[in-house]
Amino acid sequence: MTKPLKVALVGLGTVGGGTFSVLKDNAAEIERRVGFPIQIAVVADLNAERARQVAGEGVDISSDAFEVVNRPDVDVVVELIGGYTVAKQLVLAAIAAGKHVVTANKALLAVHGEEIFAAAEKNHVMVGFEAAVAGGIPIIKAIKEGLAANQIEYVAGIINGTCNFILSEMRDKGLPFAEVLSQAQALGYAEADPTFDIEGVDAAHKITLLSALAFGIPVQFDKAYIEGITKLTKEDIEFAEQLGYRVKLLGITRRTDKGVELRVHPTLIPAKRLIANVEGVMNAVLVKANAVGPTLYYGAGAGSLPTASAVVADIIEIARASQVPLESRVPVMAFKTSGVDQNVCMLGMSEVVTAFYLRLTVADKPGVLADVTRILANQNISIEAMIQRQAEDESGQADIVLLTHRCIEGDFNAAMVEIEALDAVVEPMVRVRVEDLS
Amino acid sequence: MTKPLKVALVGLGTVGGGTFSVLKDNAAEIERRVGFPIQIAVVADLNAERARQVAGEGVDISSDAFEVVNRPDVDVVVELIGGYTVAKQLVLAAIAAGKHVVTANKALLAVHGEEIFAAAEKNHVMVGFEAAVAGGIPIIKAIKEGLAANQIEYVAGIINGTCNFILSEMRDKGLPFAEVLSQAQALGYAEADPTFDIEGVDAAHKITLLSALAFGIPVQFDKAYIEGITKLTKEDIEFAEQLGYRVKLLGITRRTDKGVELRVHPTLIPAKRLIANVEGVMNAVLVKANAVGPTLYYGAGAGSLPTASAVVADIIEIARASQVPLESRVPVMAFKTSGVDQNVCMLGMSEVVTAFYLRLTVADKPGVLADVTRILANQNISIEAMIQRQAEDESGQADIVLLTHRCIEGDFNAAMVEIEALDAVVEPMVRVRVEDLS
């Protein structure tokens, strides 16, 4: 076991460069922990010049990712190229060649995870993906191992730093979405094409993986409900604040008697909850489990070195466990394959139980509120709080803001149709889900 | 590997009872994860009636802890009796008999850890102690494995729920220490003899373990500086609040160029830090590391089921790894024995660098503040903020409250002697350390 572990680093962008740095700068500390060195055998990047710049002299460089996976001196292939097509081929080729794999590619695993994990099990290799969810926060290890004694009830996470930065700024500075998005792009916190982040797709990839890990169910990205933050207004963020809530984009997965919820959407959270106070690009994941109760994990969800911290933690785990027989390892998806609930029912959104914030713009005349509350009551939806605010102009309109108690989303939708059909309701209703997270 | 793992549970108090419940109630979920059952072979308690009450029928009961460790059908001994003497003998006997050990006994490990871990290594058995620090929060696993890629810079934790409850209540309700302590005792949040908690000894046990895990150094409880919360007044908590700070009892360990700091004391933390908002009996541990930056871990630090969550997580880890050779396991103290820095310099408090809050009660006459700031400046201590408040009575006295920038504690102590010698200073000075935790 004093033989060094040899790593092939494929993709030398932000995370790849960080991984190279961490393995180099922390080599002595890592060897104190592991007992032998972890060495970069080869780096591969289409851009050989970039690779040379990052790796310096003394490290093999290749422009062919598929060549490096077959090198006999490589034990672990670290896939950091991203995307679905080449990354998938590369990961499967590495597994077929008997190499362990580490990846930060949540999109790939959320969509093709089942195929990849099955191949890995068949070939007795490990797939580490701590870096795929919440960057440097060791949340996957916490769920797989730290909380292994529990039946997990739900996971709720701020797992997209771009969205959290935008929402934090909208609240702090009272600015509209579009303006803050531009700032975020200028600061490098949002991509030139920010769709995957702001529409909630990235968060959905991550919560899909956490859901499978938490409950021992298949990875089913196609079952995720996804709603982004693009329609949130600063007015709604202000109303939420008045009611004692913060608005966050949450990935939520919950196990109920009827099935598993899997959803990403803007959510009002009580301002006094610790997770409501996670600001800027930081991430945090709240896990509620039946023995331990609530636990929260907070840290940097992206960035070169934080993400590399997770990549290298996986490499270290492989360094230690690579000589361990498959059946003694922690299962890649936390549960034994035989223990995975293949027939789990994934709930549609109309079956989800949640509370709602709703804002109506109405003609300010008597009886509107009575109509609205009657419609809600008919669907067994009761009201927890209400704010009514006259328009400052002379439109004769008013905003009615309501917080409901928890109800079945399908019932709420039915009420919404009736409310929007009222003559006095002059604009489409705004609705944001509310989670107490107690 | 389909053979069940057999556990002996020794001590059926709060945590023992919880461990029994978790293993029973979550047995199916645990088997889905592990692939085979974990069974309680025998429970031992001096009080056989209590043992029978907890365990029900169908479980062997013994009143002799030392008998159960030698049973051939026992793989793991779970020590939950507490204290130093019998617990130590029991743990060493179990190790000598080739049994793996799980314990929640921070006092035992902080004081006798080196001896116990050496014996375990010699006998190729594992010692799990996730439950010894911060209850159900998987902080030990996070430090040993999740952050293994990093050089850890510091660990700062709210790791005593009793103290955090008392300080939260003092701030919330403006009550004095003694009154809140009585309430905490009535609520069961403080022991009849609360010394170990309120004097900081319990927190010092825990931060001693975290320090060794974070830096790869020996467990050295005798090097810890320990200061409790008994002298904190509600006035100082209010002044701190005015300055934008919260007062928390922190365990802090930091690696510097000169050596390792290891200390427990009340600490002012900026109110905007997430850890400053951890209230009541909850615990949280902040870890700053060179790749990942700051990460925070939050949850219940005590209680039957939360602590059992950690105990059972350790049992599960042993269930998986018991067939794994010693050199492939994660080292018990995170670093290989050969990698432990036996010669680490543990810094005395006079060498620690920190900022200070200080409160002086002075005769309200001209020139006092000038004298105080001159004395501080002579020790190279600069001032960040100041509040002066006249006494409401007719004493002619005033409170001067200062926040300093970071300085060497020895320099501050020298200044303190000079300040207290000033004629105008009419009462002993109050000083509380300040940590920015950025």
Side-chain angles (χ1 to χ4, degrees):
Chain A
M1 279 296 282
T2 51
K3 198 164 62 88
L5 185 87
K6 302 268 195 170
V7 175
L9 211 51
V10 183
L12 281 176
T14 307
V15 179
T19 301
F20 192 91
S21 297
V22 169
L23 281 172
K24 192 155 158 270
D25 297 345
N26 293 348
E29 191 84 339
I30 291 169
E31 191 169 344
R32 288 178 67 205
R33 296 179 188 272
V34 180
F36 53 88
I38 292 173
Q39 291 174 357
I40 298 170
V42 54
V43 301
D45 198 291
L46 284 179
N47 182 339
E49 198 178 330
R50 176 168 81 168
R52 176 59 67 204
Q53 228 163 24
V54 171
E57 299 300 321
V59 175
D60 279 4
I61 288 185
S62 169
S63 60
D64 180 359
F66 290 88
E67 178 256 329
V68 310
V69 310
N70 287 309
R71 283 173 58 142
D73 63 342
V74 166
D75 303 302
V76 185
V77 173
V78 180
E79 181 275 302
L80 297 171
I81 51 180
Y84 300 94
T85 317
V86 179
K88 184 184 174 192
Q89 291 166 5
L90 178 74
V91 164
L92 290 175
I95 290 170
K99 313 298 188 190
H100 304 289
V101 170
V102 174
T103 176
N105 193 333
K106 47 262 179 189
L108 174 65
L109 294 179
V111 176
H112 300 291
E114 290 297 306
E115 182 182 350
I116 289 165
F117 299 135
E121 183 167 12
K122 186 167 153 248
N123 287 276
H124 288 219
V125 297
M126 288 179 271
V127 178
F129 57 101
E130 183 65 79
V133 180
I137 308 171
I139 182 62
I140 290 179
K141 181 164 283 284
I143 290 177
K144 281 173 73 169
E145 301 177 53
L147 305 181
N150 291 264
Q151 296 178 52
I152 292 174
E153 296 171 7
Y154 70 77
V155 180
I158 296 173
I159 46 182
N160 183 276
T162 305
C163 288
N164 205 52
F165 175 82
I166 291 172
L167 295 175
S168 298
E169 290 288 297
M170 285 175 74
R171 184 180 77 86
D172 265 13
K173 307 196 173 143
L175 294 174
F177 173 80
E179 193 172 333
V180 177
L181 174 60
S182 302
Q183 287 178 8
Q185 288 172 314
L187 289 166
Y189 293 156
E191 309 266 350
D193 177 358
T195 313
F196 256 41
D197 292 316
I198 63 178
E199 293 295 357
V201 179
D202 174 73
H205 288 147
K206 294 166 179 169
I207 196 69
T208 297
L209 292 170
L210 294 182
S211 180
L213 288 163
F215 305 130
I217 61 175
V219 179
Q220 299 178 75
F221 176 66
D222 58 333
K223 299 290 172 58
Y225 171 80
I226 310 174
E227 181 183 320
I229 63 168
T230 57
K231 288 175 191 147
L232 283 173
T233 66
K234 66 189 173 73
E235 287 73 24
D236 292 309
I237 290 173
E238 284 163 14
F239 277 124
E241 196 79 4
Q242 278 184 47
L243 292 160
Y245 289 78
R246 298 273 163 83
V247 183
K248 296 290 182 185
L249 183 76
L250 287 189
I252 301 175
T253 186
R254 187 191 306 265
R255 180 159 50 179
T256 74
D257 289 345
K258 294 187 177 163
V260 170
E261 302 174 357
L262 178 59
R263 47 192 170 109
V264 171
H265 51 68
T267 315
L268 270 67
I269 316 169
K272 65 188 170 192
R273 300 272 177 265
L274 209 55
I275 194 171
N277 294 283
V278 171
E279 301 288 355
V281 295
M282 300 303 278
N283 282 18
V285 180
L286 175 63
V287 184
K288 177 96 183 285
N290 75 334
V292 74
T295 55
L296 181 93
Y297 308 83
Y298 163 89
S304 173
L305 294 179
T307 310
S309 169
V311 168
V312 175
D314 279 341
I315 296 173
I316 291 171
E317 178 157 342
I318 289 170
R320 287 177 170 140
S322 63
Q323 305 302 314
V324 169
L326 183 69
E327 67 270 19
S328 290
R329 291 181 199 149
V330 181
V332 60
M333 289 305 288
F335 290 75
K336 289 280 185 188
T337 303
S338 58
V340 172
D341 181 2
Q342 295 291 345
N343 303 314
V344 62
C345 170
M346 301 301 285
L347 293 176
M349 279 308 281
S350 65
E351 298 168 281
V352 159
V353 175
T354 185
F356 286 93
Y357 160 100
L358 65 148
R359 178 165 59 84
L360 297 166
T361 306
V362 299
D364 190 12
K365 53 187 181 183
V368 181
L369 188 59
D371 286 342
V372 169
T373 52
R374 178 187 46 78
I375 291 169
L376 289 170
N378 285 345
Q379 295 289 349
N380 292 312
I381 299 165
S382 56
I383 293 167
E384 183 175 313
M386 200 267 288
I387 302 177
Q388 189 156 350
R389 190 176 70 176
Q390 310 306 317
E392 284 168 13
D393 56 24
E394 308 206 338
S395 62
Q397 293 182 357
D399 274 330
I400 297 177
V401 173
L402 295 171
L403 280 189
T404 75
H405 283 285
R406 279 159 61 83
C407 61
I408 298 166
E409 178 149 335
D411 292 347
F412 182 85
N413 291 341
M416 199 160 140
V417 171
E418 281 190 69
I419 291 169
E420 289 197 317
L422 290 173
D423 283 344
V425 174
V426 296
E427 282 184 32
M429 199 170 125
V430 173
R431 68 113 176 74
V432 186
R433 295 174 188 84
V434 181
E435 294 287 339
D436 185 56
L437 300 181
S438 66
Chain B
M1 278 295 284
T2 52
K3 199 164 61 90
L5 185 87
K6 301 268 195 171
V7 176
L9 210 52
V10 184
L12 281 175
T14 307
V15 179
T19 301
F20 192 92
S21 297
V22 168
L23 281 172
K24 193 155 158 272
D25 297 346
N26 293 347
E29 192 84 339
I30 291 169
E31 191 169 343
R32 287 178 67 205
R33 295 179 189 272
V34 180
F36 54 88
I38 293 172
Q39 291 175 357
I40 298 171
V42 55
V43 301
D45 198 290
L46 284 178
N47 182 339
E49 199 178 328
R50 176 168 81 167
R52 174 60 67 204
Q53 230 164 22
V54 172
E57 299 299 322
V59 175
D60 277 6
I61 288 184
S62 171
S63 59
D64 180 359
F66 290 88
E67 179 254 331
V68 310
V69 310
N70 288 307
R71 283 174 58 144
D73 63 342
V74 166
D75 303 302
V76 184
V77 174
V78 180
E79 180 276 304
L80 298 170
I81 52 180
Y84 299 94
T85 317
V86 180
K88 184 183 174 191
Q89 291 165 6
L90 179 74
V91 164
L92 290 175
I95 290 170
K99 313 298 189 191
H100 304 288
V101 170
V102 175
T103 175
N105 193 334
K106 49 262 179 188
L108 174 65
L109 294 180
V111 176
H112 300 291
E114 290 297 307
E115 181 182 351
I116 290 166
F117 299 135
E121 183 167 13
K122 185 167 154 247
N123 287 276
H124 288 220
V125 298
M126 287 179 271
V127 178
F129 57 101
E130 184 65 79
V133 180
I137 307 172
I139 182 62
I140 289 179
K141 180 164 284 285
I143 290 177
K144 281 173 72 168
E145 301 177 53
L147 305 182
N150 292 265
Q151 297 178 52
I152 293 174
E153 295 171 9
Y154 71 77
V155 180
I158 295 173
I159 46 183
N160 184 276
T162 304
C163 287
N164 205 52
F165 175 82
I166 291 172
L167 294 176
S168 298
E169 290 288 297
M170 285 176 73
R171 184 180 78 86
D172 265 13
K173 305 194 174 143
L175 294 174
F177 173 79
E179 193 172 331
V180 177
L181 173 61
S182 302
Q183 287 179 7
Q185 288 173 315
L187 290 166
Y189 293 154
E191 309 267 350
D193 176 358
T195 313
F196 255 41
D197 291 317
I198 63 177
E199 294 295 358
V201 179
D202 175 72
H205 287 146
K206 294 166 179 168
I207 196 69
T208 297
L209 293 169
L210 294 183
S211 180
L213 288 164
F215 305 129
I217 61 176
V219 179
Q220 300 178 76
F221 176 66
D222 58 333
K223 299 291 172 57
Y225 170 81
I226 311 175
E227 181 182 321
I229 62 168
T230 56
K231 288 176 192 147
L232 283 174
T233 66
K234 67 189 173 73
E235 287 74 24
D236 291 310
I237 289 173
E238 284 163 15
F239 277 124
E241 195 79 6
Q242 278 185 48
L243 291 161
Y245 289 78
R246 299 273 163 83
V247 183
K248 297 290 182 186
L249 183 77
L250 288 189
I252 301 175
T253 186
R254 186 191 306 265
R255 179 160 50 179
T256 75
D257 290 343
K258 294 186 177 165
V260 170
E261 301 175 358
L262 179 58
R263 47 192 171 110
V264 171
H265 50 70
T267 314
L268 269 68
I269 316 170
K272 65 188 172 192
R273 300 271 176 266
L274 208 56
I275 194 171
N277 293 283
V278 171
E279 301 288 353
V281 296
M282 300 303 277
N283 282 17
V285 180
L286 175 63
V287 184
K288 177 95 182 283
N290 75 335
V292 74
T295 55
L296 181 93
Y297 308 83
Y298 163 90
S304 173
L305 294 179
T307 310
S309 169
V311 168
V312 175
D314 279 342
I315 296 173
I316 290 171
E317 178 157 343
I318 289 170
R320 288 178 170 141
S322 64
Q323 304 303 314
V324 169
L326 182 68
E327 67 270 19
S328 291
R329 291 181 199 149
V330 181
V332 61
M333 289 306 288
F335 289 75
K336 289 280 184 188
T337 303
S338 58
V340 171
D341 181 3
Q342 295 291 346
N343 303 314
V344 62
C345 170
M346 302 300 286
L347 293 177
M349 280 307 280
S350 64
E351 299 168 281
V352 159
V353 174
T354 185
F356 287 93
Y357 160 102
L358 64 147
R359 180 165 58 83
L360 298 166
T361 306
V362 300
D364 190 12
K365 53 186 180 184
V368 181
L369 188 60
D371 286 343
V372 169
T373 52
R374 177 186 47 76
I375 292 169
L376 289 170
N378 285 346
Q379 295 289 347
N380 292 313
I381 300 166
S382 56
I383 292 168
E384 183 174 315
M386 200 267 288
I387 302 176
Q388 188 156 351
R389 192 176 68 175
Q390 310 305 317
E392 285 167 13
D393 56 26
E394 307 206 338
S395 63
Q397 293 182 357
D399 275 329
I400 296 177
V401 173
L402 295 172
L403 278 189
T404 75
H405 283 284
R406 280 159 62 83
C407 61
I408 298 166
E409 180 149 335
D411 292 345
F412 182 84
N413 291 342
M416 198 161 141
V417 171
E418 283 190 66
I419 291 170
E420 289 196 319
L422 291 172
D423 283 344
V425 174
V426 295
E427 281 183 32
M429 197 169 127
V430 172
R431 66 114 176 74
V432 187
R433 294 174 189 86
V434 181
E435 294 287 340
D436 186 57
L437 300 182
S438 64

